[in-house]
Amino acid sequence: MNGSTPAGADGPAHVLVDGVEKTYLKKGGAPVHALRPVRLDLRRGEFLSLVGPSGCGKTTLLMIMAGLLDASGGTVSLDGAPVRAGDPRISVAFQQPTLLRWRTVWDNVILPSKIMGRLDAAARTRAEELLELTGLASFKKHYPHELSGGMQQRAAIARSLVSQPDLLLMDEPFAALDEFTREKLNDELLRLWSGREMTVVFVTHNISEAVYLSDRVAIMAPRPGRLIEVTDVPLARPRTPAIRGDEDYFRRVRDTRALLDHTSDESSDRQEAGDAR
């Protein structure tokens, strides 16, 4: 499906990325167009993945959506209000867990609530529940170096959810993990997301992961970074590990990969033509 609006969405967008672009100006050099204008409409509670080769602007777009990077043009709004750095409605999970090594798991998880001055009984209860859901309840007094990589990512995810964000932005949070751990965390992420009115934008290079997790997959291309296609993933929810053996799932993965391969081929041809000139 071409376009950026969720099928069946009604009313104004929960998240609106309206013509967002990014150009880096280099002193003494030509401008670098990292991201061409992008438009995306996301409904509340949607799970959308951004896929594409390295250098296509996925992380740039995510950081602009988080308010952590200024756009050269366009706007990002959440429920009609522009996003800014430190927006309490938005939480970010990075590729590395970024846990503070001198704080325990518990202290890392409650840190956002503490920073925002909202560390009340309700926040503590949420933190306890998230540690239980992520299998870390018995490790809350441990320090990051005492945990495996997968456990550290679980702690980082719990930390990103404790503030009950409206929008969760995830930048390849499982990229450094082995396939078994990655798939297990995919399942845990869906379990944590299910039933919460939380919109998720998930950056990944892994097409199978994107299809498994998402309501829609947005395909991006590099040189310059741009959004090419947004496709629906009409697989039933809840998603369970059993779906990974389903033919319809494989077909969706193949179709998405074909779109990405076609996009990559076109980008290579365009780059070669530019080099020839």
Side-chain angles (χ1 to χ4, degrees), residues 255-277:
D255 290 347
T256 305
R257 180 171 286 112
L259 285 170
L260 186 57
D261 289 344
H262 178 68
T263 295
S264 298
D265 290 342
E266 284 189 341
S267 296
S268 296
D269 291 344
R270 189 177 295 108
Q271 180 69 17
E272 288 175 5
D275 292 343
R277 289 196 296 270

Side-chain angles (χ1 to χ4, degrees), residues 97-232:
T98 62
L99 300 174
L100 299 180
R101 65 182 184 279
W102 59 88
R103 290 181 176 267
T104 63
V105 168
W106 171 258
D107 288 334
N108 269 285
V109 169
I110 64 171
L111 186 59
S113 297
K114 191 172 184 179
I115 290 173
M116 292 186 290
R118 299 178 181 176
L119 187 55
D120 54 14
R124 292 178 181 276
T125 298
R126 285 196 302 274
E128 294 280 7
E129 291 173 348
L130 286 165
L131 287 171
E132 188 69 37
L133 286 169
T134 52
L136 293 174
S138 60
F139 294 90
K140 67 180 184 179
K141 294 184 180 180
H142 286 60
Y143 289 88
H145 73 272
E146 298 175 305
L147 307 180
S148 68
M151 293 169 74
Q152 290 182 32
Q153 281 293 9
R154 289 188 184 96
I157 291 171
R159 180 183 59 189
S160 68
L161 294 175
V162 74
S163 61
Q164 295 183 306
D166 291 324
L167 175 61
L168 175 61
L169 303 171
M170 309 188 79
D171 188 14
E172 297 189 74
F174 309 139
L177 304 176
D178 63 85
E179 185 174 0
F180 176 80
T181 303
R182 185 174 191 147
E183 289 186 352
K184 186 174 181 181
L185 288 181
N186 284 170
D187 295 330
E188 290 191 5
L189 175 59
L190 287 181
R191 184 161 53 92
L192 291 167
W193 167 74
S194 180
R196 290 175 168 83
E197 288 194 346
M198 177 176 61
T199 305
V200 178
V201 179
F202 187 93
V203 168
T204 181
H205 284 95
N206 190 304
I207 297 170
S208 299
E209 179 176 63
V211 171
Y212 184 73
L213 293 171
S214 306
D215 297 308
R216 292 188 297 156
V217 176
I219 298 170
M220 299 187 68
R223 303 190 185 99
R226 62 202 186 281
L227 181 64
I228 296 298
E229 182 95 9
V230 182
T231 181
D232 290 323

Side-chain angles (χ1 to χ4, degrees), residues 63-81:
M63 293 301 100
I64 292 173
M65 293 179 70
L68 299 177
L69 181 65
D70 290 334
S72 301
T75 60
V76 180
S77 58
L78 179 58
D79 287 331

